[in-house]
Amino acid sequence: MKESVPSNAVHLLYEVYRNVFPRVHKELAYWKEAASRIPNEELRAQAEASIKDKTFHCEGGAIYSVLSGDRPDLAVRFIVAYQTISDYLDNLCDRSTSMDPDDFERLHLSMADALTPGNPCRDYYKYREEKDDGGYLHELVKTCQDVLGQADNYQIVHGRALKLGRLYCDLQVHKHVIEEERIPRLQQWFEHHQTDWPELKWYEFSACTGSTLGIFCLVSYALGNKMDEDLARNVEDSYFPFMQGLHILLDYYIDQEEDEREGDLNFCSYYDHQEQMKGRFEYFVRRTDEEVQKLPDRAFHQMIHKGLVGMYLADRKVGRLSNAKSFVKDMLKISGRKTAFFYFNTKMYHKLKPGRG
């Protein structure tokens, strides 16, 4: 019989290292082999790099598979395939031979189709020079559709998953266009959503749309046959905007030095000063705390929340940032003992497994 959802950090970490990560690495080995067979050199290079450099995205997302009851293999298959689409397209847009928003929009239709069983695959490369991926992107989309087709009550979450997915895709289009158009496009986009989220700045809203965690949570619960309308609504409300926003703001926080060096967009750079940023991070931590109280398996979601903060703050990149020591110290104090546990555990993991960062 399937064990219950982990409710303490030791149980969760045991499950993650013993079962979740091996499943992830098995799925990624399949996609790595598929990527190596892509005929077009540029598409092959970006597909292989996205798997090599961003494995940890799939590892982190796949933790949600523990919510899928006795179907964790299916949940991991979906999460790895969907996250691999996301990371591959991010590479195609970020390190692109194209700066065309029509190209970016067309590529990201694959993510909407992946969330909609029955949608036919399209020519996602219609507006770009490189086209021949040997069926790689179509196979990723069909894998997601196939898994979702096996979730009896996926129709309950489809609309919410698609809403989160479309916000994610809009962000990717706006933030990858030519540099002088990025901020005006993102600000104009936020104007359409500002009445719903008056407490957010445009760059915070953008961060909130950049996470796939809400989708992974919805799909995992649906695969575990635990989904009803109330749960679907509560998951969306609990994850968007605050949990997802905290996730991506932390991601941008650790990348500040790297993004400044490479001239990339970083949402943390729009805060006036470090104290303001810290105050807003604290606000996101407290709001996330409040929202996850509405969910079943509350202890699990609380651990994801605390784990995100702890693991990002423990990243090696943080050491390169100015004032990082005081920022980390204050964030650990705000977030509590569980966050400190994940922080020190991650520090130890990096020492034992060199390479990332």
Side-chain angles (χ1 to χ4, degrees), residues 3-23 59-60 62-66 299-300 303-304 306-308 310-311 337-350 352:
E3 283 188 67
S4 60
V5 174
S7 59
N8 67 70
V10 174
H11 182 188
L12 178 64
L13 288 174
Y14 176 81
E15 178 69 19
V16 164
Y17 292 125
R18 178 76 176 79
N19 296 314
V20 176
F21 284 1
R23 288 186 186 109
E59 289 174 340
I63 293 170
Y64 284 94
S65 65
V66 304
F300 167 81
M303 279 191 291
I304 294 288
K306 302 296 187 184
L308 275 176
M311 287 187 280
R337 282 184 304 175
K338 278 186 186 152
T339 300
F341 173 85
F342 285 109
Y343 174 78
F344 290 113
N345 187 277
T346 307
K347 282 275 196 190
M348 188 61 66
Y349 180 68
H350 287 324
L352 297 174

Side-chain angles (χ1 to χ4, degrees), residues 77-118:
R77 187 168 306 146
F78 169 82
I79 289 165
V80 169
Y82 194 77
Q83 188 62 48
T84 298
I85 298 174
S86 167
D87 291 337
Y88 172 52
L89 298 189
D90 191 49
N91 271 25
L92 286 185
C93 297
D94 226 4
R95 299 163 178 80
S96 192
T97 56
S98 157
M99 299 293 276
D100 178 4
D102 291 336
D103 173 38
F104 301 156
E105 202 168 316
R106 185 76 182 192
L107 284 170
H108 281 87
L109 283 177
S110 62
M111 295 188 76
D113 288 340
L115 292 170
T116 311

Side-chain angles (χ1 to χ4, degrees), residues 31-97:
W31 294 115
K32 189 177 178 182
E33 170 64 24
S36 73
R37 296 194 304 269
I38 293 174
N40 180 273
E41 189 178 348
E42 170 67 12
L43 298 179
R44 183 173 67 250
Q46 298 305 346
E48 289 181 325
S50 73
I51 293 172
K52 178 174 172 282
D53 299 338
K54 298 176 180 179
T55 293
F56 65 99
H57 287 172
C58 291
E59 289 174 340
I63 293 170
Y64 284 94
S65 65
V66 304
L67 301 175
S68 63
D70 59 1
R71 304 174 96 182
D73 289 334
L74 277 179
V76 170
R77 187 168 306 146
F78 169 82
I79 289 165
V80 169
Y82 194 77
Q83 188 62 48
T84 298
I85 298 174
S86 167
D87 291 337
Y88 172 52
L89 298 189
D90 191 49
N91 271 25
L92 286 185
C93 297
D94 226 4
R95 299 163 178 80
S96 192
T97 56

Side-chain angles (χ1 to χ4, degrees), residues 253-254 312-322 324-325 328:
Y253 174 75
I254 70 168
Y312 272 104
L313 293 180
D315 195 284
R316 290 189 179 114
K317 295 177 188 175
V318 174
R320 302 173 203 157
L321 303 176
S322 60
K325 278 189 177 174
V328 168

